[in-house]
Amino acid sequence: MPVIAVIGAQWGDEGKGKVIDLLAEKAKVVARFSGGDNAGHTVINHYGEFGLHLVPSGIFSAQAVCLIGNGVVINPSVLLGEIDLLNQRGVDTSRLFISDRAHLIMPYHILFDGLEEKARGNQAIGTTGKGIGPAFADKVARLGIRVGDLLDREVLLERLGHILDYKNTILTKVYGVSPLSLTEVYEQYCQFGERLAACIRDTSLIVEEALSRDELVLLEGAQGALLDPDFGTYPYTTSSSPLAGGGSLGIGVSPTRIGAILGVFKAYSTRVGGGPMPTELKDETGDLIRKVAHEYGTTTGRARRCGWFDAVAARFSTRINGFTGIAVTRLDILDNFPSLKICVGYKLDGKTIDYFPSSIAALSRCQPIYEELPGWLAPTTHIREYKKLPAKARQYLARLAELAGCTINLVCVGPEREQTIEVKPIL
Ligand code: GDP
Ligand code: IMO
Ligand code: MG
């Protein structure tokens, strides 16, 4: 069996956690490959409701080995807290392994995230404040500390001593705040190392072994394509690639092994944090979507910005990811809207365009051109077969898929695992 990558297709929070939890019933490996605890993946199943930040959403399936790959930045304190919470609620985490190559989020990363955001003033990105950007910056600057370093205390002390000296100089001389104590950070991370040692592995090898046994492997994306540092609304992006291509790098599997790329779209748009969003509705309709859908962040609790489905952005996302199919979530949220809009183009400086501009200055000036479709004004949450959906709901989905340039595999009509309609098999 090949790999299925499940990828956020918009600005995150599309419902990846729910889709992974469902698909994991048949998977032998579920692997996170990017981001860190900036992600918040909601899963609702027979164990209850969970907001997972680092542990893959496949953890509830007894046969699935769950991996946190080399492309993830790990805050060990958050990870251990999440493991404890899952165990307390009866979820077995003995099948969870983390990559020795994954980078660690250190206390100074969280400090710098806050200090840098403050320094940006009205240009603030609206990060989650979890230290993600500074940790990935250190990774590429070759100033990172990796999970594997926790296994050798001498190496850890030497590396931390050297790096912390440098970080403390910036903390004190640039930001005028107190330095961090080497002994305290070192001792804390030694304790984390002791607790995590048993689950540290070469996770790419685990994926390879599963594939050689012809077992199903799922790659669990975090964030969404429009938050990608290359293709997203830079600099209002995250700091690692949420794209399908990132899946290959972030777990250590060849792109040739990825057999299906499932893009997860909400039936409308949301975004949390700063940066342009052409279809944002700063009116009663936007407030209504937020209220009906309870659009508040899983990680930070912030109100999400809401708007109509943006098919220009969707087509772009399909192209750069190469989706082989899509999942459309939260269709039920639109059940009571008498009419719906889909953005089919942008008006930019008097011209009509059909592409997603690379410059945020241009994107901020884009005015959406809408196509209006009738709402179905009927509940859908109980429906499990595509043909039983109201005709107008099918019409909306068909138009959305046509504009996004992709066929639909799944439609979700509620947050629970069962509230899903299979339209076409993914593989
Ligand atoms: P993720 O980050 O992509 O995993 O998404 P989040 O968990 O941050 O946000 C998605 C929200 O939508 C969660 O509250 C889910 O429980 C919920 N959800 C997922 N699919 C559906 C659906 O089809 N209908 C409804 N009403 N809620 C859904
Ligand atoms: P999931 O996996 C939605 C956003 C933040 C901010 C920007 C940069 O749940 O879909 P960061 O902390 O990464 O430096 O913040 O990215 N962001 C997300 N938005 N869902 C997420 O993850 C996100 N992860 C980061 O709000 O705008
Ligand atoms: Mg989320």
Side-chain angles (χ1 to χ4, degrees):
M1 276 217 174
V3 176
I4 299 177
V6 176
I7 302 296
Q10 295 159 309
W11 278 287
D13 303 328
E14 299 89 350
K16 300 174 291 293
K18 169 185 159 153
V19 170
I20 287 280
D21 173 58
L22 172 77
L23 300 181
E25 285 181 315
K26 294 197 181 123
K28 283 288 166 57
V29 175
V30 181
R32 272 280 307 269
F33 63 80
S34 68
D37 62 307
N38 49 351
H41 294 181
T42 313
V43 172
I44 306 179
N45 58 26
H46 51 283
Y47 283 101
E49 175 167 350
F50 297 82
L52 298 170
H53 301 289
L54 280 166
V55 174
S57 306
I59 198 71
F60 307 95
S61 290
Q63 81 298 339
V65 166
C66 287
L67 307 177
I68 302 180
N70 53 281
V72 178
V73 285
I74 298 177
N75 180 331
S77 163
V78 172
L79 176 60
L80 288 165
E82 207 161 290
I83 292 172
D84 288 344
L85 196 85
L86 284 162
N87 292 160
Q88 278 160 25
R89 293 181 62 186
V91 183
D92 171 29
T93 54
S94 63
R95 298 160 284 107
L96 174 70
F97 301 103
I98 65 178
S99 170
D100 49 3
R101 291 181 168 89
H103 281 245
L104 291 165
I105 293 189
M106 305 299 292
Y108 44 82
H109 292 138
I110 297 168
L111 285 178
F112 282 123
D113 200 351
L115 291 165
E116 287 165 8
E117 275 288 83
K118 206 165 150 207
R120 286 183 195 114
N122 65 5
Q123 314 257 309
I125 293 163
T127 72
T128 58
K130 306 291 179 185
I132 306 296
F136 279 113
D138 272 359
K139 174 177 174 174
V140 291
R142 291 153 298 183
L143 281 173
I145 298 179
R146 306 201 296 179
V147 167
D149 297 332
L150 295 175
L151 299 173
D152 186 331
R153 290 188 171 204
E154 260 176 57
V155 170
L156 178 64
L157 185 59
E158 200 196 331
R159 201 153 166 76
L160 182 62
H162 159 74
I163 293 169
L164 198 57
D165 248 2
Y166 172 64
K167 298 292 176 187
N168 276 339
T169 307
I170 305 175
L171 283 174
T172 53
K173 302 255 162 66
V174 176
Y175 291 107
V177 299
S178 307
L180 291 167
S181 146
L182 174 62
T183 321
E184 276 175 31
V185 178
Y186 172 67
E187 281 173 4
Q188 189 188 24
Y189 276 69
C190 284
Q191 283 173 20
F192 292 149
E194 262 173 45
R195 276 206 63 195
L196 290 172
C199 64
I200 300 174
R201 292 283 193 289
D202 178 345
T203 45
S204 69
L205 204 56
I206 299 177
V207 171
E208 180 55 36
E209 286 165 0
L211 291 175
S212 68
R213 289 192 297 266
D214 204 26
E215 294 172 348
L216 178 63
V217 173
L218 294 180
L219 297 185
E220 175 173 348
Q223 290 80 54
L226 306 175
L227 289 171
D228 180 72
D230 283 279
F231 290 98
T233 48
Y234 189 85
Y236 293 92
T237 61
T238 190
S239 301
S240 64
S241 178
L243 303 180
S248 172
L249 270 179
I251 195 69
V253 67
S254 162
T256 60
R257 308 302 288 267
I258 302 179
I261 302 173
L262 181 72
V264 185
F265 285 96
K266 265 180 202 180
Y268 50 93
S269 303
T270 64
R271 170 165 207 172
V272 56
M277 176 184 175
T279 63
E280 180 174 13
L281 294 167
K282 293 181 181 163
D283 59 10
E284 291 132 45
T285 311
D287 292 344
L288 187 63
I289 296 176
R290 187 176 309 103
K291 193 166 154 232
V292 174
H294 196 73
E295 287 289 2
Y296 295 91
T298 315
T299 301
T300 56
R302 287 177 291 175
R304 294 179 184 143
R305 299 155 63 191
C306 299
W308 296 121
F309 188 83
D310 184 339
V312 179
R315 206 158 43 236
F316 175 63
S317 184
T318 299
R319 176 165 70 81
I320 57 176
N321 281 292
F323 295 141
T324 56
I326 63 175
V328 180
T329 66
R330 290 189 160 243
L331 184 75
D332 54 296
I333 299 301
L334 303 179
D335 283 353
N336 295 315
F337 286 78
S339 97
L340 304 165
K341 288 181 183 167
I342 298 182
C343 167
V344 294
Y346 300 142
K347 203 87 180 159
L348 174 62
D349 303 333
K351 288 198 191 102
T352 300
I353 61 166
D354 63 357
Y355 61 88
F356 193 75
S358 66
S359 125
I360 53 159
L363 193 62
S364 307
R365 294 199 306 278
C366 282
Q367 295 299 318
I369 300 168
Y370 286 119
E371 186 174 295
E372 203 158 343
L373 283 93
W376 45 94
L377 298 173
T380 56
T381 50
H382 60 286
I383 297 175
R384 301 291 174 267
E385 278 178 73
Y386 189 68
K387 62 175 190 291
K388 294 203 174 146
L389 281 172
K392 285 175 183 154
R394 279 183 277 129
Q395 187 192 341
Y396 179 77
L397 287 168
R399 186 65 181 135
L400 182 156
E402 183 186 15
L403 289 164
C406 223
T407 55
I408 298 179
N409 292 125
L410 300 172
V411 174
C412 296
V413 289
E416 294 180 23
R417 193 190 271 186
E418 296 71 30
Q419 291 179 297
T420 307
I421 300 170
E422 194 191 27
V423 184
K424 190 177 162 230
I426 295 169
L427 280 176

